[in-house]
Amino acid sequence: MSTTEMINVELTAAQQQGEPGQSYALHELPTGKDDDVPPVQVEELESAAPTVSFSSILLLSASHLSSSWSDRTLEFAVPLYLISLFPSTLFPSSFFGFLTTGSAILLSNAIGSWVDRTPRLRAVRTFILAQKLSNLVAYALLLVLFEKLQSQASRGLGAGGDAGVRALFVFVCLLGCVLRLATVGINVAIERDWVTTISSGSPASLTRLNAFLRRIDLLCKLLAPLFVSFLTLQSNSVSIMVLMGISFVTMFFEFVWIQTVHNEFPALVSEQAKRLAIQAQATPPSTRWSISALRRALKQLLIDWKDFQRTPVFPTAVSISLLYMTTLAFDSTFLSYVVWRGYSNPLIAGMRGLCVVMGLLGTVIQPLLTRWIGPVRAGSWSIWSEFLTLIPVLLSFFLPPSLSTSPSSSSSAGNVWNSALLFGGMALSRPGLWAFDLSQLQILQDKLRDHPRRNALTALQFSMQSVGDLAKYVLVMVLSSPTEFRWTAIVSVACVLAGCLVWSFAYARKERGHLLHLSHIAHMLKSALRVIRVTHF
C-alpha cells in the first residue's frame, strides 16, 4: 500500500473513532452557520472546485432516464393490469404494493452494503441486468395471464380461484420485489455514490447533478403513466409486448452509457480502490451462506443503524421519511378517491400533470435558493412552504359542502371552491416538496462524503422512506371507506408538520445556532415603522 493510501486509511479510522456527532465530510462547503458565510468566500470555494461538463451530465442523464422510465412504467402498469385481471377486488394490487415496499424496508441496507463492497461498474451493471430481466419476466407472466388464464383470473385468488393463476401472481409479486431492490441499488449507486464522487467536492456541481437527475424522475413520473394508458387503449396484451420490447432494447443501451460515464471520470476508480481497501480490512469478504454469516449480517445492520443515528444528518432522514406518510399525492389511493368523487379523467390527468410541472419548478428554484442562502435555510424554507400550502387542501375536506359527501349532495359553487382548494393546494405544495428533497439529499451527500460505509448508511434512508409508505398502506386499509379519507388527510398533514419540526429543531437549529435572525426581524420592523411614520405623519 502506498504512503498516500496509508494516510487515507488512517484518516478514515480516526474519523470512525471520533465523537459520535461529528461529520465525516472533509471537503464540503460550510453549511453549519450558512448565513454567516460571506458570499465572496462561497464564490471563491465554488470556483476553485472542478466543474462537471455538460456532456458528462448528458451521458449520466441518458442512463438514468432509461432506468427511471423502466421503473415508472412497471410501477404504473402492474397495478393497472392486476385491476383488469381481477376486477372484483383491489387485494392483488394492494398486496403487490405491500410486498414490494416491505422488501425495500428489509433489504435496502444489504443492497447499500453490497454497493460498498463491490466495484462500482460491476454493481451498477448487476442492478441494470436485474431490473431489466425482472421487467421482462414479469411482463411475460402477465401476458400469459391475459392470453391464457384471464377467465380463470376473473374468479379471483380465493379458494375458488385457479392454482395456476395464484402461482403466476406470486411470481409477479416476487419479480416486483426484485425490481424494487434493483431500483434502490441503482439509486444508491448512481444518485448517492457516483454523483458525490463526480462532483469532486463542488457544491455547485453537486446541486446541478442532483437537480438534473430529479427532473428526469419527475418527467418519467408524468409521462410514463400517460404512455402506458395510451398503449392500453389498443389492448393490454399489445401494451405488454411493447413494454417488453422497450425493456429489452434499452438494457443494451444502458450498459454502453454507464460504461462511457465510468470511463469519463477516473475519480470513480481511484476513490473506489481506497474504499475497497478499507472495507477489506474492516470486514473480510465471505461468499458462504451460513447461520454465522446471517448473524454477522444482522450485527452489521445494527451497527449501521447505530452509526447512522449518531450522524448529524439522521434527523434530516427522519424528516423526509415523515413526508412519505401521506395520502395527498397522486398515487393509486388518491386516484381511487378522486374517481369515487366523480372527477373526470381529463381533469385528473390535467391536475396530475400540473403537480409534476410544479415539482419541476421546485428543482429549478432549489439550486438558486441554495446558492443564495445555503442548503440548510433552503431546506427550512422549502419544507415549511409545503406545510403551509397543504393547509388549504386540508380545509377542502371540511368546508361545506364537504368532499366526503357524494357529488350530488353538493352545490356546483361549493364543488368549485373545494376543487380549487384541493388541487390548487396540492400543486402549490409540490415546489416545496421537491426543493426540500434536493436540499436534504445534498446535505446527506456532503456529510457522509468520506464515510467508509456511506452507501450502506444512505440506503437506510430508503428503508425509512419505505416505512412511511407502508404505514400509509396500513392507514388506508384501516380507514378504507372513501368517506373516511378526510381523516387520512389529517394524518398526512400532521406528518408533514412533524417533519417540519424535526428538521427545524433537531437539525437546522443545531447547524445554524438559531432558528430565526431576531436582529434581522427587528431591523425590518424598525424600517417598516419608519415608512409608516413618513407616510402618515
Side-chain angles (χ1 to χ4, degrees):
M1 182 181 294
S2 66
T3 305
T4 304
E5 291 177 345
M6 291 178 64
I7 292 173
N8 283 318
V9 171
E10 293 174 359
L11 181 59
T12 306
Q15 291 172 340
Q16 290 178 297
Q17 296 173 359
E19 292 299 323
Q22 80 178 75
S23 167
Y24 294 94
L26 301 178
H27 308 293
E28 60 178 308
L29 181 68
T31 59
K33 303 182 186 311
D34 49 349
D35 16 309
D36 299 330
V37 179
V40 176
Q41 181 182 350
V42 173
E43 293 178 0
E44 290 176 353
L45 288 171
E46 290 186 353
S47 61
T51 58
V52 182
S53 66
F54 181 76
S55 61
S56 303
I57 293 180
L58 191 62
L59 289 170
L60 186 63
S61 299
S63 177
H64 190 68
L65 173 63
S66 178
S67 172
S68 184
W69 183 266
S70 297
D71 177 46
R72 292 297 185 182
T73 51
L74 189 134
E75 179 185 65
F76 181 80
V78 170
L80 189 67
Y81 293 146
L82 291 177
I83 290 173
S84 300
L85 287 167
F86 307 98
S88 59
T89 175
L90 294 177
F91 175 80
S93 57
S94 300
F95 184 77
F96 178 84
F98 182 88
L99 200 63
T100 54
T101 304
S103 67
I105 294 173
L106 297 175
L107 299 175
S108 289
N109 175 256
I111 295 294
S113 298
W114 189 77
V115 173
D116 279 324
R117 301 192 306 268
T118 309
R120 281 182 163 126
L121 186 59
R122 185 197 306 172
V124 176
R125 281 176 167 174
T126 302
F127 292 133
I128 291 173
L129 187 63
Q131 185 189 60
K132 300 304 181 183
L133 289 181
S134 60
N135 261 331
L136 290 170
V137 179
Y139 285 138
L141 296 180
L142 289 168
L143 187 61
V144 171
L145 285 171
F146 274 110
E147 292 294 319
K148 304 294 184 182
L149 300 171
Q150 186 167 9
S151 59
Q152 293 90 325
S154 62
R155 296 199 294 266
L157 296 170
D162 185 79
V165 172
R166 287 196 292 269
L168 291 179
F169 171 71
V170 170
F171 280 122
V172 169
C173 291
L174 293 177
L175 290 166
C177 295
V178 174
L179 173 71
R180 181 69 176 262
L181 294 174
T183 303
V184 169
I186 291 174
N187 289 337
V188 169
I190 300 297
E191 294 186 13
R192 268 65 174 175
D193 186 26
W194 286 36
V195 166
T196 304
T197 301
I198 289 171
S199 64
S200 303
S202 168
S205 296
L206 186 60
T207 302
R208 186 184 181 195
L209 281 169
N210 287 335
F212 261 79
L213 297 184
R214 189 62 73 240
R215 289 166 194 164
I216 290 172
D217 288 334
L218 287 171
L219 283 173
C220 291
K221 188 175 183 179
L222 170 64
L223 299 177
L226 298 176
F227 180 69
V228 173
S229 300
F230 173 76
L231 292 177
T232 54
L233 292 177
Q234 181 67 26
S235 73
N236 288 321
S237 299
V238 170
S239 66
I240 290 174
M241 288 187 283
V242 172
L243 294 176
M244 287 180 66
I246 293 175
S247 296
F248 182 75
V249 172
T250 54
M251 176 172 60
F252 299 101
F253 282 104
E254 284 189 45
F255 274 105
V256 174
W257 288 331
I258 208 65
Q259 174 76 59
T260 307
V261 172
H262 187 267
N263 295 339
E264 184 81 10
F265 299 99
L268 290 172
V269 179
S270 59
E271 187 199 78
Q272 171 185 268
K274 301 174 186 178
R275 189 181 66 191
L276 292 179
I278 297 171
Q279 285 287 331
Q281 291 181 354
T283 54
S286 176
T287 57
R288 297 181 58 186
W289 288 93
S290 61
I291 299 298
S292 60
L294 180 61
R295 288 199 192 100
R296 286 196 300 271
L298 293 176
K299 183 179 179 180
Q300 185 62 57
L301 176 61
L302 293 176
I303 292 173
D304 286 341
W305 272 114
K306 292 179 180 178
D307 196 7
F308 192 35
Q309 291 172 3
R310 288 195 296 264
T311 60
V313 292
F314 181 73
T316 72
V318 174
S319 180
I320 197 169
S321 299
L322 286 168
L323 304 187
Y324 279 76
M325 174 61 185
T326 180
T327 58
L328 299 178
F330 275 90
D331 56 8
S332 57
T333 302
F334 183 77
L335 290 175
S336 299
Y337 171 73
V338 292
V339 168
W340 173 83
R341 276 295 305 144
Y343 289 108
S344 64
N345 289 337
L347 176 63
I348 296 172
M351 292 300 101
R352 179 182 180 133
L354 176 62
C355 286
V356 173
V357 171
M358 294 297 286
L360 288 170
L361 179 61
T363 66
V364 176
I365 294 173
Q366 192 271 341
L368 301 176
L369 204 59
T370 298
R371 187 174 181 83
W372 180 33
I373 58 176
V376 178
R377 292 174 70 189
S380 299
W381 288 24
S382 301
I383 191 170
W384 279 104
S385 71
E386 180 190 0
F387 169 71
L388 293 175
T389 51
L390 284 176
I391 292 177
V393 178
L394 188 59
L395 290 176
S396 71
F397 292 94
F398 295 92
L399 290 178
S402 172
L403 280 177
S404 64
T405 59
S406 62
S408 60
S409 64
S410 303
S411 66
S412 58
N415 278 332
V416 169
W417 275 107
N418 278 313
S419 301
L421 291 173
L422 175 65
F423 294 118
M426 287 185 63
L428 290 174
S429 70
R430 299 303 99 173
L433 169 63
W434 292 109
F436 175 74
D437 176 81
L438 285 174
S439 297
Q440 192 274 337
L441 174 59
Q442 182 173 348
I443 290 170
L444 184 76
Q445 291 166 327
D446 279 339
K447 295 293 185 180
L448 299 181
R449 179 184 301 277
D450 297 302
H451 196 290
R453 288 180 59 80
R454 71 182 183 196
N455 294 312
L457 298 192
T458 55
L460 291 177
Q461 181 169 305
F462 283 96
S463 296
M464 296 170 66
Q465 292 170 181
S466 298
V467 169
D469 272 333
L470 198 65
K472 175 188 66 178
Y473 288 130
V474 173
L475 176 66
V476 174
M477 284 190 286
V478 173
L479 303 173
S480 57
S481 173
T483 58
E484 297 174 318
F485 192 83
R486 58 168 70 184
W487 307 118
T488 70
I490 292 178
V491 175
S492 301
V493 176
C495 287
V496 174
L497 176 60
C500 293
L501 296 176
V502 170
W503 171 272
S504 299
F505 290 94
Y507 179 72
R509 184 177 182 180
K510 292 181 179 179
E511 288 291 305
R512 299 177 58 205
H514 56 271
L515 285 178
L516 297 173
H517 266 308
L518 297 180
S519 58
H520 289 183
I521 295 175
H523 177 71
M524 292 173 62
L525 290 176
K526 290 179 181 177
S527 300
L529 289 174
R530 283 197 297 268
V531 171
I532 293 173
R533 284 197 297 266
V534 170
T535 304
H536 293 84
F537 301 101

